[in-house]
Amino acid sequence: MSEDQAASLNRPRHIVLNSHPTGDQSPIELNWGAVNAADRGPVVTNLTGDGCHNAIGTHSGSYSIYRALAVAAGALDPSHRPDLTNTAPVAHIGPHPQWSDASRIVSMDPYGHLVVQCFQDQIDDGIDVRPSIAVTRARLSLPEVVHGRQQSLQTDGQVLLESGEINVTKIAIEPVWYLPGVAERFRIKESELRRILFEQTGGMFSDLVTRSDLKIFLPPIGGATLYIFGNPEYLTDNSRRLTCRVHDECNGSDVFGSDICTCRPYLVHGIEECVREAQNDGVGLVVYNRKEGRALGEVTKFLVYNARKRQDGGDRADAYFERTECVAGVQDVRFQELMPDVLNWLGISRIDRFISMSNMKYDAVTAQGIDIGQRVSLPDDLIPEDAQVEMEAKKAAGYYTPGEVPEIDDLAKTRGRHIEGY
C-alpha cells in the first residue's frame, strides 16, 4: 500500500509494537464481576490505537481476519464504527445474579448485548464500544419437522406454525475471555495460560505476555448461537420446565446429513423436544457451540475418518478414540469447562430435561451448581447405521445410556463401512 493510500484510509505508516508502546497507555478501568455495568465498565479493543483499550484482540472472533482483508482491499474504512440504531435486543435478558460473580461467567461479556444502553456516555465520548452479543427473532424450517417425521408433534400456531416453521428467539455470542477466570477453570496459573496462548498462536498476541494489566482477551475463534423456544423469561422461572440441548458444531452432519455420526439426528431430536416443552407451557433451549470436529477442525476430522476406515480390521468401536488421538495427539479439545457460561448468563439454575448423553457436558453443568433432572439419550431408531461405531464407543467411555454399557470385548464387533464402500 502506498503512502497516499494509507493517508486516504486515515492510517499512519509507522507501526508501533504492543510490546514497545509509546505515548499514553491508559486502559479504561474494567472490574470483571462488578455489581452493575457502570462499575464494571465497557470492553474496548485496540482498533483505534489510542492506548485506552482494556482488551487484547478484537471483535468478530474468527471473522476478524475478513474484516482486515476488507480494509486491505479498500472496501472498508478502518475508522468505521457501527451505527447501532434499532439493533437493541428483541428480548429482555438479565441482569442476573450470576453476572456479578466473577467466577460464574469467564468466557463472554454478560453486558455484550447492552452496550448502547449501558455505555452510551462512553460511546458519545468517542470510545469504540461494540456489541459482542445480539438478540433477534427467527423462524426455523427443518425438513424433519416440516414433513412431519414426528407425528406426535402438533402445530399450535405460536411455537410450531401450520407451515411447519418454528418460532424462536435467536442469540449470537462472541467469545470474550476473562483470563484470570479462564485460568481458574482449568486450574492453572494465569501467567502460564497467557504464555501458552502466546506460544501456540505463533506470537500473534504479544499483549498476552507483555501487558499483564489487560485481563480480557477476545480470541479469534467461533462463538455460540442460542435458540430459545417459547418465552425467554421462563428460563429463570422455576415453576416452568426447561428442556435443553447443548450441541457442538458438526458441519458434515448438521448441514449436509453425513451419516458417520449422530450429530444432526441428535440436534433435530433436541429441537423437537424443545418445541414439545414450549408447547406444554415450558421453555426449550438449544446451545450451538462452534467447536467443529471436537474443536480440532474439519481437516483433522476428515483425516481421522480416513484413518478409521483404512485401519487393520476396519472401522471399529474399540479403536474409535485411538484413531483421533493418533492424528491429533489428543482425543477431544472441546473442554466443556467454559460451556456453562451461557447458562449462567441466562440465569438458569435448573434443567429439567437435558438432551445429551455426554458425561463431560453433564459434569461441567452440574459443577457450576446447575441442577439437572432427567437425562435424555438419542433414541436407537435415530442412530444411522454407520454411526453405531461412534455411539458404542462413547457409551463404553462413560456417556450416559439407559441401556447396557457395551463390554470392551464386544466393541470390536461394532464396525462401520470400509472406505471403499461409499
Side-chain angles (χ1 to χ4, degrees):
M1 182 181 292
S2 68
E3 297 283 348
D4 291 340
Q5 287 174 317
S8 68
L9 292 176
N10 193 30
R11 291 170 53 207
R13 292 299 297 161
H14 179 64
I15 296 176
V16 178
L17 297 178
N18 290 335
S19 55
H20 296 80
T22 59
D24 182 22
Q25 300 296 313
S26 302
I28 295 172
E29 186 175 357
L30 192 145
N31 301 297
W32 198 264
V35 295
N36 56 56
D39 292 337
R40 206 291 301 274
V43 172
V44 181
T45 65
N46 194 29
L47 284 178
T48 57
D50 56 11
C52 70
H53 63 286
N54 55 21
I56 303 166
T58 187
H59 288 285
S60 300
S62 58
Y63 295 102
S64 60
I65 301 301
Y66 287 104
R67 183 185 188 281
L69 283 178
V71 172
L76 175 63
D77 183 346
S79 64
H80 170 76
R81 297 190 182 184
D83 179 355
L84 299 175
T85 304
N86 292 330
T87 63
V90 301
H92 181 76
I93 306 292
H96 298 297
Q98 294 93 323
W99 295 19
S100 56
D101 184 341
S103 67
R104 298 292 294 275
I105 300 176
V106 302
S107 63
M108 58 179 290
D109 177 8
Y111 297 99
H113 60 312
L114 300 175
V115 298
V116 174
Q117 296 90 324
C118 294
F119 306 117
Q120 187 62 58
D121 290 344
Q122 289 91 333
I123 293 173
D124 291 342
D125 287 340
I127 297 174
D128 190 3
V129 187
R130 303 194 179 196
S132 59
I133 301 174
V135 184
T136 189
R137 290 197 177 100
R139 289 183 180 178
L140 308 184
S141 181
L142 303 177
E144 293 92 335
V145 176
V146 171
H147 298 300
R149 189 194 71 191
Q150 287 282 1
Q151 297 301 318
S152 61
L153 202 61
Q154 303 297 323
T155 59
D156 60 277
Q158 293 183 324
V159 180
L160 181 59
L161 308 181
E162 291 290 339
S163 62
E165 296 172 303
I166 305 168
N167 269 330
V168 295
T169 300
K170 184 165 64 172
I171 304 173
I173 300 175
E174 292 177 3
V176 177
W177 287 7
Y178 174 57
L179 292 172
V182 173
E184 184 178 353
R185 289 276 180 93
F186 286 92
R187 297 178 178 85
I188 60 175
K189 293 181 179 179
E190 180 189 344
S191 58
E192 184 70 6
L193 173 65
R194 285 173 171 267
R195 181 184 181 91
I196 293 174
L197 286 172
F198 171 74
E199 292 174 343
Q200 294 301 313
T201 55
M204 288 172 59
F205 301 97
S206 59
D207 280 359
L208 286 167
V209 291
T210 63
R211 295 291 303 276
S212 60
D213 59 320
L214 302 182
K215 301 295 185 181
I216 306 300
F217 176 43
L218 279 63
I221 60 175
T225 309
L226 315 182
Y227 295 85
I228 302 172
F229 303 77
N231 190 338
E233 295 183 4
Y234 289 177
L235 291 169
T236 56
D237 185 347
N238 285 334
S239 69
R240 312 281 183 171
R241 288 174 54 84
L242 167 61
T243 289
C244 176
R245 164 73 181 163
V246 176
H247 189 91
D248 292 330
E249 176 185 29
C250 177
N251 182 66
S253 179
D254 295 342
V255 178
F256 294 99
S258 174
D259 72 343
I260 197 172
C261 63
T262 59
C263 295
R264 182 177 176 88
Y266 219 159
L267 175 61
V268 174
H269 179 61
I271 290 172
E272 291 172 340
E273 292 302 307
C274 285
V275 169
R276 187 171 287 109
E277 194 70 82
Q279 291 178 326
N280 291 329
D281 210 24
V283 61
L285 171 67
V286 170
V287 178
Y288 193 90
N289 293 303
R290 295 309 194 284
K291 295 179 180 179
E292 176 64 63
R294 300 184 197 162
L296 293 165
E298 206 164 27
V299 169
T300 296
K301 182 165 70 171
F302 288 8
L303 294 174
V304 171
Y305 287 167
N306 285 346
R308 283 172 51 188
K309 298 295 184 180
R310 287 173 170 153
Q311 68 184 328
D312 290 341
D315 186 13
R316 312 185 314 273
D318 64 324
Y320 175 77
F321 290 106
E322 180 184 349
R323 289 301 92 202
T324 300
E325 194 166 359
C326 286
V327 175
V330 64
Q331 292 182 4
D332 195 322
V333 295
R334 286 174 292 178
F335 299 117
Q336 302 294 346
E337 284 86 349
L338 302 179
M339 174 269 292
D341 283 18
V342 295
L343 306 178
N344 285 325
W345 176 69
L346 292 168
I348 292 170
S349 60
R350 190 188 76 227
I351 297 172
D352 296 280
R353 302 181 73 237
F354 192 51
I355 314 296
S356 174
M357 299 169 70
S358 170
N359 53 330
M360 293 179 290
K361 293 175 183 176
Y362 176 86
D363 291 344
V365 171
T366 55
Q368 284 292 303
I370 299 173
D371 294 329
I372 291 179
Q374 179 186 4
R375 300 173 72 177
V376 180
S377 60
L378 181 64
D380 290 341
D381 63 344
L382 298 183
I383 302 174
E385 182 178 355
D386 202 42
Q388 292 290 346
V389 171
E390 171 200 279
M391 184 56 67
E392 293 304 295
K394 288 182 174 179
K395 288 178 183 178
Y399 271 46
Y400 167 77
T401 174
E404 294 184 3
V405 177
E407 297 289 342
I408 298 298
D409 293 340
D410 292 333
L411 288 181
K413 300 176 183 178
T414 302
R415 305 193 179 197
R417 71 172 65 92
H418 192 270
I419 194 70
E420 306 298 334
Y422 288 86

